[in-house]
Amino acid sequence: MELIEERQTGAEVALGRPPVAKDSVHYSGGSASTVSADLIDQLRVLEEMKSAICGLQARVAVAFDLAQRAEQAETGIPASERGKGVGAQVALARRESPNRGSRLLGLAKALVMEMPRTLAALNSGQLNEWRATLLVKETACLSVEDRAAVDEELAPDTGTFEGKGDKAVIAAAKAAAYRRDPRSVVGRASRAASERTVSLRPAPDTMTYLTALLPVAQGVAVYAALNRAADSARSTGTVESGVRTRGQIMADTLVERVTGTPGGYTGINLDLVMTDRSLFQGDSEPARLRGYGIVPAAWARAAVGGEQVVGGEPAAPNQNDEFDVWLRRLYTAPATGELLATDSKARLFTGRLRRFIEIRDHTCRTPYCDAPIRHIDHIVPWRSGGKTNLANGAGLCEACNHTKEHPGWSTQAVHADVHTLEIRTPTGHSYLSKAPHLPGHRPSRT
């Protein structure tokens, strides 16, 4: 890769280099400022460098996978078990979630072992990592031979996709894959229905994205039903014109039909953590809602009071709605905000202990993993004398809980201001995991 001629430009000043006298910046032939031209050149070179680094990361990841498998073979691990936990280590090294790490490892293997021309395009900067990922994804259903043939047919390293966007890359890969093995492509489409799911992720301003991945017929049917409900509400006059938009009516209808209540959470336990000051004294310290995250204090007070809350503000009360709200007290240490205990009765039930840890940890405790908690497991294993208590419990997603059982992985609690774990990987690297700070936390100043 040829580096552009070094000049002192606005970018250099932005990067911390001292500015030079104006007279030292030259222009040629009355053309536009070479400063602007140099900045664009630098952006292009940096983008190409990013792609080249991604290609190098792919080769390093594959080399690491092979090294780990060789080391595991020497220790007598069965062939079927070798390679487990490699993706999680890649994720920690790249500061990514375990799921993302496994996908990055899969991408690396496909590029290095099966798609050399796509890898060459990545190395030269003709493709970025995302578009290389699209090519790998669209050929995943093919055999090794057919995938290599598609890689050769498309020849990304010759500039095939120069100026092409994501949709064009996907279309070309799909067409080439179908020409090679139409049965596999059709089979993948038929298996896609087994991947139907519903997910939830936070959105700004106490909103959330509820996403359903459905077969096309079902998805269209659900959307059509919500559309009909909106048309009916507006045509019968049950909704005052201008009060709610079509989209708002569809959203409200979805909530009511799924939960059975207009407000959406009557009779459903919401785990809300807030300070006594926010609840009783009108303090502005935000609260935290399990499964969502940080919410404004006013929203939390309204929720505890049984009011409907829309867009962060209490909505007008509806006399036809009945809200059953339970208030479970959870106590935090005044100095650190660490969750210490709940109502005394909770200590008598394992189910309450589990909920307590889920509220404290919020999401999977593996660094960079935001997956929902599925397992509560011992930090020091039960077989090694670990106790079943708050200090020795941690919330993990299913994949991370299985990963920690692989040879060479270990976890221990360390003393810190909040519940903290030290995770050690088979290579001897260690990573700290701190439970998220709860409402009322005051950072210590040294």
Side-chain angles (χ1 to χ4, degrees):
M1 179 184 300
E2 294 183 1
L3 296 177
I4 61 174
E5 179 183 358
E6 184 176 9
R7 293 187 178 94
Q8 183 160 33
T9 66
E12 295 179 80
V13 175
L15 291 172
R17 300 181 186 177
V20 298
K22 183 176 180 181
D23 292 342
S24 64
V25 179
H26 301 286
Y27 303 86
S28 60
S31 62
S33 167
T34 57
V35 172
S36 296
D38 283 349
L39 291 174
I40 290 297
D41 288 341
Q42 290 182 44
L43 284 176
R44 171 55 65 89
V45 170
L46 290 171
E47 188 64 28
E48 291 175 350
M49 290 173 63
K50 283 166 54 181
S51 295
I53 289 171
C54 288
L56 179 58
Q57 284 182 313
R59 296 194 296 274
V60 170
V62 171
F64 175 67
D65 178 63
L66 294 174
Q68 283 280 282
R69 289 174 182 272
E71 292 171 10
Q72 291 169 355
E74 291 176 359
T75 60
I77 295 177
S80 61
E81 297 294 316
R82 296 171 196 164
K84 291 187 175 180
V86 172
Q89 294 183 73
V90 170
L92 287 168
R94 293 192 59 172
R95 296 189 173 96
E96 298 281 5
S97 70
N99 180 271
R100 171 77 172 155
S102 295
R103 286 188 281 121
L104 287 170
L105 179 59
L107 169 67
K109 289 181 177 180
L111 291 174
V112 173
M113 299 178 175
E114 301 171 10
M115 304 181 73
R117 303 200 71 164
T118 301
L119 178 61
L122 186 62
N123 290 332
S124 64
Q126 296 179 70
L127 280 181
N128 59 27
E129 186 178 42
W130 172 243
R131 291 194 176 126
T133 302
L134 294 177
L135 289 170
V136 169
K137 181 181 178 180
E138 294 303 329
T139 57
C141 61
L142 302 177
S143 65
V144 174
E145 294 77 13
D146 285 337
R147 176 181 255 178
V150 170
D151 182 59
E152 182 68 27
E153 176 185 337
L154 298 179
D157 60 321
T158 63
T160 304
F161 298 114
E162 183 68 30
K164 301 295 192 298
D166 293 351
K167 291 183 179 179
V169 172
I170 292 172
K174 279 184 174 180
Y178 189 81
R179 285 193 295 270
R180 287 288 166 181
D181 190 354
R183 181 175 297 180
S184 294
V185 175
V186 173
R188 183 177 68 173
S190 65
R191 291 190 300 272
S194 65
E195 299 175 359
R196 61 190 183 278
T197 187
V198 177
S199 61
L200 184 74
R201 57 191 177 94
D205 305 322
T206 64
M207 301 292 283
T208 189
Y209 294 106
L210 176 67
T211 305
L213 178 64
L214 301 171
V216 62
Q218 295 179 10
V220 170
V222 169
Y223 190 78
L226 295 175
N227 256 316
R228 287 196 299 270
D231 290 338
S232 176
R234 298 180 75 85
S235 64
T236 58
T238 56
V239 179
E240 295 181 13
S241 177
V243 175
R244 290 193 295 171
T245 66
R246 166 180 288 276
Q248 291 170 340
I249 296 172
M250 294 171 68
D252 295 343
T253 302
L254 174 66
V255 171
E256 184 171 357
R257 291 187 179 181
V258 172
T259 66
T261 60
Y265 54 87
T266 297
I268 298 175
N269 191 88
L270 295 178
D271 290 315
L272 184 66
V273 182
M274 62 190 303
T275 66
D276 55 349
R277 301 182 303 278
S278 295
L279 179 58
F280 298 115
Q281 300 174 18
D283 191 78
S284 60
E285 177 73 32
R288 195 180 77 185
L289 180 64
R290 179 184 165 199
Y292 176 81
I294 298 300
V295 295
W299 187 99
R301 283 192 293 271
V304 170
E307 300 177 56
Q308 293 191 57
V309 185
V310 178
E313 295 294 335
N318 188 333
Q319 301 299 326
N320 296 323
D321 297 337
E322 295 181 1
F323 289 86
D324 298 324
V325 178
W326 294 271
L327 176 62
R328 177 177 291 110
R329 294 172 293 178
L330 298 111
Y331 301 99
T332 61
T336 65
E338 182 175 6
L339 200 60
L340 298 178
T342 185
D343 282 339
S344 60
K345 290 184 178 180
R347 294 197 296 269
L348 303 176
F349 302 97
T350 302
R352 297 286 179 87
L353 178 62
R354 175 189 177 91
R355 173 169 286 169
F356 190 97
I357 294 174
E358 289 174 337
I359 294 172
R360 181 196 68 193
D361 292 349
H362 193 52
T363 59
C364 176
R365 286 294 297 276
T366 299
Y368 315 113
C369 183
D370 292 327
I373 292 172
R374 292 288 180 259
H375 295 174
I376 305 294
D377 201 13
H378 296 82
I379 298 170
V380 177
W382 174 266
R383 61 181 178 274
S384 301
K387 297 180 179 180
T388 305
N389 56 28
L390 288 175
N392 196 45
L396 299 168
C397 68
E398 184 175 359
C400 289
N401 191 34
H402 293 321
T403 296
K404 66 186 282 287
E405 299 299 325
H406 294 152
W409 289 79
S410 64
T411 308
Q412 64 177 359
V414 298
H415 180 71
D417 58 338
V418 294
H419 191 263
T420 304
L421 312 179
E422 181 184 33
I423 301 170
R424 296 188 68 86
T425 67
T427 59
H429 291 83
S430 63
Y431 304 87
L432 290 181
S433 167
K434 287 192 173 187
H437 293 304
L438 292 163
H441 171 77
R442 295 291 184 269
S444 60
R445 299 184 183 276
T446 57

